[in-house]
């Protein structure tokens, strides 16, 4: 499968035979994304919470492509989802979508849409083509990363490192240690001045202190996650 980083916390996960998944599609207003919402053709859109840098263009892209929008029931409640295919579920639960299995994971973060309370923020565990991908969303570090999430054999973890709104580099390294992910892709940094981080310093420290490999993707860059890496 191919993982494309679109800046901030937006990723496309394109299966070789599995579905095309779009995560937290913050496109308009994302200073690192040169694409426009029309450039995305997902079948499934996963949104971690209602903040505008995550919900982004989800509604427009879902509508334009007939894509399924999956998020917490509480978030869908405050959105205008008329005419959209949606899956509203909650933490601990999951669903199958074509060849993918999606589970909602806890996160430690808030959620609202223009001031309307939108329940709890979440992360996602995505099982696709024999790989487990963990997308943390916006979160602080929390103990269940070690107790609950590490039960999955995580091939790739997408972790925020920006600090201020989420965990910063130090906590992300501890989280990576707990998660035992083979590969960590840092996200949610440098988009705004308050979340500026030295990602290369993070990579060096992560690889020194954990068994994880750090894959720094610039906006628009992609990686292949295939059998050769397992
Ligand atoms: Ni947020
Ligand atoms: Mn955010």
């Amino acid at each position: 499968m191919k993982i494309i980083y679109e800046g901030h916390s937006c990723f496309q996960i394109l299966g070789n035979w599995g579905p095309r998944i779009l995560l937290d599609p913050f496109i308009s207003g994302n200073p690192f994304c040169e694409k426009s919402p029309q450039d995305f053709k997902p079948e499934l859109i996963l949104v971690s919470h209602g903040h505008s840098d995550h919900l982004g263009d989800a509604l427009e892209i879902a509508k334009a492509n007939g894509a399924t929008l999956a998020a917490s029931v509480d978030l869908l409640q405050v959105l205008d989802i008329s005419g959209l295919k949606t899956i509203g579920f909650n933490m601990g639960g999951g669903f199958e979508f074509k060849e993918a299995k999606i589970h909602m994971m806890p996160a430690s973060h808030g959620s609202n849409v223009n001031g309307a309370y939108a329940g709890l923020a979440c992360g996602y565990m995505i099982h696709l083509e024999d790989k487990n991908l963990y997308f943390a969303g916006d979160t602080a570090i929390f103990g269940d990363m070690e107790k609950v999430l590490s039960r999955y054999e995580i091939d790739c973890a997408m972790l925020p490192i920006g600090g201020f709104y989420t965990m910063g580099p130090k906590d992300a390294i501890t989280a990576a240690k707990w998660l035992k992910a083979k590969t960590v892709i840092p996200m949610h940094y440098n988009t705004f001045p308050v979340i500026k981080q030295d990602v290369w310093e993070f990579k060096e420290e992560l690889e020194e202190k954990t068994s994880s490999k750090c894959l720094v993707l610039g906006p628009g860059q992609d990686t292949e996650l295939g059998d050769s890496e397992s």
Side-chain angles (χ1 to χ4, degrees), residues 195-210:
I195 58 172
K196 200 165 166 41
Q197 296 293 346
D198 185 335
V199 72
W200 299 105
E201 204 174 282
F202 170 75
K203 176 183 164 73
E204 203 179 305
E205 204 176 328
L206 178 91
E207 292 183 344
E208 194 183 293
K209 293 185 174 167
T210 73

Side-chain angles (χ1 to χ4, degrees), residues 37-108:
Q38 295 85 322
D39 296 325
F40 296 84
K41 310 280 175 220
E43 296 166 274
L44 176 66
I45 302 172
L46 299 173
V47 175
S48 64
H49 64 295
H51 294 157
S52 57
D53 58 319
H54 297 265
L55 176 62
D57 303 282
L59 294 170
E60 180 187 337
I61 297 171
K63 192 165 279 177
N65 294 282
T68 299
L69 174 64
S72 77
V73 283
D74 306 278
L75 175 55
L76 293 183
Q77 195 95 52
V78 298
L79 299 176
D80 177 10
I81 53 170
S82 51
L84 293 185
K85 284 186 263 179
T86 58
I87 297 176
F89 65 129
N90 221 324
M91 270 169 246
F95 63 90
E96 289 189 23
F97 185 89
K98 299 193 173 176
E99 298 85 356
K101 283 186 194 140
I102 312 294
H103 283 96
M104 190 181 286
M105 295 290 141
S108 183

Side-chain angles (χ1 to χ4, degrees), residues 137-159:
D138 274 3
T139 189
I141 192 170
F142 55 94
D144 281 351
M145 286 178 168
E146 184 177 27
K147 289 189 172 170
V148 181
L149 277 70
S150 66
R151 294 176 308 167
Y152 293 81
E153 272 192 29
I154 300 173
D155 293 284
C156 178
M158 290 155 262
L159 301 179

